[in-house]
Amino acid sequence: MKMPVGSRFAVLAPLLVLVMVATRFKHFGDMLHCPDASMAVFFLGGAYLRRHWMFALMVGLAVLLDWVSVSYAGVGDFCITAAYAFLPLAYAVLWYAGRWYSPRLQGNVRSLAGAFVVALVAASVSFAISNGSFYWLGGRYPDPNVAQYVARLWQWGPLFVRTTMSYVTVALVVHAACARLAANSEQVSHQEA
């Protein structure tokens, strides 16, 4: 028996908001906190929540958390530049990749592997957009050039993408476990009938 869409939304929307708040609030520093899960939250939100207004709400939440971090939590504003305006585009890549893959997302290995690959590509493109806009438009680097940008992309990209994929992998494992439980429950129901 599958969870009704409304019930799934009611459970997952607050969970994804909680994960973003818990991991993003001081994401510019403090190693005592979990790595920022925002990129994974946007992919998973697209896959499970799908609604356009929810994407806008999550972008608003990300901006609010950054504002609170900079204004009240003592986090530096080094990353807040004109390039910050490109974050919604970077997050949209993740959300809409998840949303696009959502109808194909089942509990089997092939489907989960497909979700992993789509998330990996989306996370890489998303990072390239956010990092590229920061490097080229952020005004933090005098005399930007392609060689320096590529070096920075390779320096930071694997960390951000690996972090995103770690969270996505955990979510896909939970998805597989829930699908298996649902299939077993349905099988028991048919046997009892």
Side-chain angles (χ1 to χ4, degrees), residues 95-116:
W95 187 276
Y96 290 98
R99 191 172 194 272
W100 171 80
Y101 194 77
S102 182
R104 299 159 189 80
L105 186 56
Q106 306 297 319
N108 61 56
V109 172
R110 183 177 181 174
S111 171
L112 296 170
F116 183 88

Side-chain angles (χ1 to χ4, degrees), residues 118-184:
V118 170
L120 179 62
V121 170
S124 299
V125 171
S126 177
F127 179 76
I129 291 168
S130 64
N131 184 264
S133 64
F134 180 73
Y135 180 77
W136 294 104
L137 304 172
R140 302 289 192 214
Y141 300 98
D143 303 319
N145 61 71
V146 172
Q148 186 182 45
Y149 170 65
V150 170
R152 293 188 55 73
L153 190 66
W154 283 113
Q155 177 183 4
W156 297 108
L159 172 66
F160 279 85
V161 172
R162 182 178 66 232
T163 299
T164 300
M165 296 314 297
S166 296
Y167 285 116
V168 168
T169 299
V170 168
L172 293 175
V173 167
V174 170
H175 179 97
C178 290
R180 189 168 195 67
L181 286 172
N184 289 344

Side-chain angles (χ1 to χ4, degrees), residues 8-9 25 31 47 51 66 76 82 86 88 104 106 125-126 130 140 144 150 172 185 189 191 193:
R8 182 178 67 206
F9 187 90
F25 179 63
M31 296 306 291
R51 295 177 171 104
D66 290 347
F86 281 81
R104 299 159 189 80
Q106 306 297 319
V125 171
S126 177
S130 64
R140 302 289 192 214
V150 170
L172 293 175
S185 175
S189 294
Q191 288 174 351

